[in-house]
Amino acid sequence: MKVLMINGSPKRNGVCNFALETIGSVLKEEGIDFEIIQVSGQVIAGCLGCGYCMANKKCVQTKDFVNEVGSKCKEADGFIFASPTYYAGVSGQLKSLLDRLYYAYGDNLSYKPGAAIASARRAGTLSVFDDINKYFSINNQPIVTSNYWNNIFGNSVQEAKQDEEGIFVLKQLGHNMAYMLKALKLAEESGLERKKEKRVGTNFIR
């Protein structure tokens, strides 16, 4: 089993990466593989709203790595997305990536557990947490929680290492993710059927 993590911070080795590595150490203890994908150094364009992905199951834009990430999602069993807090919201890079990823490759993430992580110097993390969780909740993905909101505070890795409660929350999140992945695998092996309703779309403007 494998968890795909995305560091949505333009800082490759900042607080978000520290948070993901903290969780990764727990997943490793639990026998779960993980990979951290960095948006740092990437120029990620926003969604064009062209509809190309609906018919072709890939994004029409090919100058960045969104299609590559989408393909990786097919092989992953769970996901963790981390973002710093910018104006009480997710980073622009992560927003552009997730918008296009879920349009073009949503099927590769469906029914697989997801978790959100937010970092901040001081405040705004709950808006980030909410932003990311909305992607999971529109795509049939179980949301993995901890014993508190998945926030970590600090303006640097050195400061974040002093957030003992934040680190505790992240470690518990790692254990909970591992537990859910193992439980879902047992359910699949037992033949438990997942029922899917036929999708219905309505538009109230006539």
Side-chain angles (χ1 to χ4, degrees), residues 120-125 153-154:
R121 179 189 66 82
R122 185 172 179 84
T125 53
F153 295 93

Side-chain angles (χ1 to χ4, degrees), residues 157-197:
V157 173
Q158 290 70 29
E159 291 180 0
K161 287 180 177 180
Q162 299 177 58
D163 183 5
E164 294 183 10
E165 183 176 0
I167 292 171
F168 168 73
V169 169
L170 296 177
K171 287 183 176 180
Q172 185 61 54
L173 177 65
H175 288 299
N176 291 351
M177 172 64 80
Y179 181 87
M180 184 172 288
L181 290 177
K182 292 173 183 179
L184 288 171
K185 184 175 178 61
L186 286 173
E188 182 181 359
E189 291 173 349
S190 72
L192 182 64
E193 181 183 0
R194 180 170 56 237
K195 296 182 179 180
K196 298 170 66 175
E197 293 285 341

